[in-house]
Amino acid sequence: AKKEGGNRVTVYYDKLNPSNIERPRLEAHLRNAIENETIEVCYQPKVNVELGTIFGAEALVRWTDEEFGVVTPEVFIPIAEDTGLIQQLWDLVMRRSCKQVSKWNTNLTQPLSISVNFSARQFQEPSTMLQRVKDILAESNLAPEHLEIEITESILLTNSSEIVHTLKSLQDLGVAVSIDDFGTGYSSLSYLKDLPINTLKIDQSFIQNIDQDFGNSQIPEAIINLARSLHLDVIAEGVEEEYQKEFLRSKNCVQMQGYLFSKPLSKDDFEQFLKNFH
Ligand code: C2E
Ligand code: CA
Ligand code: CA
Ligand code: CA
């Protein structure tokens, strides 16, 4: 750790190196934060630019540790995955976000849907996970249609027949399945057609590469066309610029998420954002 001017402390460590001397302590702090539920959940709006509506939000975890300061999900999610803490973290995010969105929906004419990120670990004990999803939905009084799960392509490559079966069970409940970071993985396009999925989420790197005169737009355009021909929904993430939005809109990709609309927001800020939208 390095002391900067004032009392800000920034921690430098190799996040992927389990032998780093800071790591065991970071792990212990993470375990505490999860057990004490001091981890926060933020909500990033998902907008439909054609209808001018917010139709949902993605739940994203936030952790500020007393000693380590702000630790980004890119650092602590892999640690949670390695140690198995991701199960408890997932449970916490599911419980909190489903309850929250259910609460919001009681006051909304257009109900929101909540998107939760699922890790590969969530699919290790499918029947336990499915039961937990059902229980949490029931506890929070949220219709399964208002829950979406986001998984990366890499999950589809591991033990795929069991994964496919599990995704199908989720869909049978009414839960939607979205492929996150689409285009960065290695999905074989031929089997995409047979997978129980609802949505392709175009990875933000492709969106951010789109430039002012719509250069570098071949990949997002190809994904939009692929989604259309497979009768899947498509959403773009990481939309930061007006011209990126215009490009997507011109290709009839109208669902978007990104800093252009809003950063991930605390519960209170999300409520304010809902009020001010329109
Ligand atoms: P992700 O699921 O791909 O989430 C999108 C990330 O992009 C988020 O980073 C979000 O804050 C950021 N983002 C959104 N709009 C923009 C934009 O316009 N520009 C840029 N540059 N970034 C944007 P975040 O919150 O730091 O999360 C990073 C990753 O950590 C997530 O990537 C996800 O893989 C993982 N993660 C976050 N929360 C959870 C969780 O509850 N469970 C699991 N398993 N993973 C999570
Ligand atoms: Ca995601
Ligand atoms: Ca993503
Ligand atoms: Ca990502």
Side-chain angles (χ1 to χ4, degrees):
K2 180 184 159 197
K3 207 85 171 153
E4 288 176 345
N7 46 20
R8 265 184 60 87
V9 174
T10 309
V11 180
Y12 297 96
Y13 50 89
D14 180 353
K15 60 185 179 184
L16 295 178
N17 185 358
S19 66
N20 185 295
I21 59 159
E22 296 268 37
R23 180 157 156 153
R25 289 199 313 114
L26 190 64
E27 233 175 81
H29 283 227
L30 179 61
R31 186 179 303 275
N32 264 320
I34 294 171
E35 270 163 16
N36 302 330
E37 309 209 343
T38 53
I39 296 244
E40 294 295 329
V41 179
C42 274
Y43 303 90
Q44 188 176 35
K46 294 190 176 193
V47 303
N48 181 316
V49 299
E50 191 177 46
L51 302 174
T53 53
I54 302 169
F55 64 91
E58 178 176 3
L60 293 158
V61 281
R62 292 292 177 262
W63 178 35
T64 305
D65 181 74
E66 273 180 14
E67 185 187 338
F68 291 101
V70 172
V71 186
T72 66
E74 252 116 28
V75 171
F76 72 81
I77 294 288
I79 296 176
E81 285 173 340
D82 285 356
T83 54
L85 284 170
I86 194 73
Q87 295 289 20
Q88 262 173 282
L89 182 60
W90 170 79
D91 206 276
L92 189 160
V93 175
M94 278 287 291
R95 271 184 281 120
R96 242 198 249 159
S97 60
C98 289
K99 201 166 153 197
Q100 186 57 67
V101 167
S102 170
K103 220 183 228 171
W104 283 332
N105 283 349
T106 58
N107 299 315
L108 295 170
T109 44
Q110 300 253 357
L112 300 171
S113 136
I114 182 73
S115 304
V116 176
N117 292 288
F118 278 45
S119 291
R121 283 265 193 166
Q122 265 68 70
F123 292 88
Q124 271 180 356
E125 283 179 52
S127 55
T128 314
M129 183 267 278
L130 286 167
Q131 190 54 51
R132 200 58 199 130
V133 168
K134 286 185 213 170
D135 290 346
I136 292 170
L137 288 170
E139 269 166 34
S140 40
N141 199 24
L142 186 73
E145 289 72 23
H146 296 146
L147 173 65
E148 174 181 70
I149 76 161
E150 295 193 4
I151 56 168
T152 55
E153 286 171 273
S154 57
I155 290 180
L156 299 170
L157 300 172
T158 60
N159 187 10
S160 71
S161 70
E162 197 183 19
I163 298 278
V164 168
H165 187 256
T166 308
L167 295 177
K168 185 77 181 62
S169 306
L170 283 164
Q171 275 191 335
D172 289 344
L173 283 179
V175 174
V177 178
S178 176
I179 309 290
D180 203 356
D181 303 347
F182 190 80
T184 58
Y186 182 66
S187 17
S188 129
L189 298 184
S190 58
Y191 83 33
L192 203 54
K193 147 170 124 12
D194 303 315
L195 287 173
I197 54 181
N198 303 78
T199 306
L200 300 183
K201 189 172 196 182
I202 309 171
D203 188 66
Q204 53 184 351
S205 62
F206 300 123
I207 304 304
Q208 281 155 18
N209 281 337
I210 301 173
D211 56 38
Q212 207 121 21
D213 34 32
F214 296 175
N216 290 319
S217 58
Q218 297 88 346
I219 293 173
E221 185 169 359
I223 296 173
I224 294 165
N225 291 333
L226 176 67
R228 185 156 307 126
S229 63
L230 295 172
H231 306 289
L232 297 173
D233 263 359
V234 64
I235 181 168
E237 70 175 334
V239 181
E240 292 183 353
E241 305 288 344
E242 194 66 35
Y243 54 81
Q244 293 162 349
K245 170 181 133 185
E246 285 320 315
F247 171 79
L248 293 160
R249 201 191 167 125
S250 75
K251 299 298 168 195
N252 273 312
C253 171
V254 296
Q255 301 193 354
M256 304 181 198
Q257 187 181 339
Y259 295 168
L260 179 63
F261 310 99
S262 173
K263 297 200 169 195
L265 302 170
S266 67
K267 159 192 173 291
D268 289 343
D269 289 347
F270 191 89
E271 284 169 8
Q272 207 51 51
F273 184 82
L274 278 179
K275 270 189 206 144
N276 297 339
F277 201 74
H278 293 297

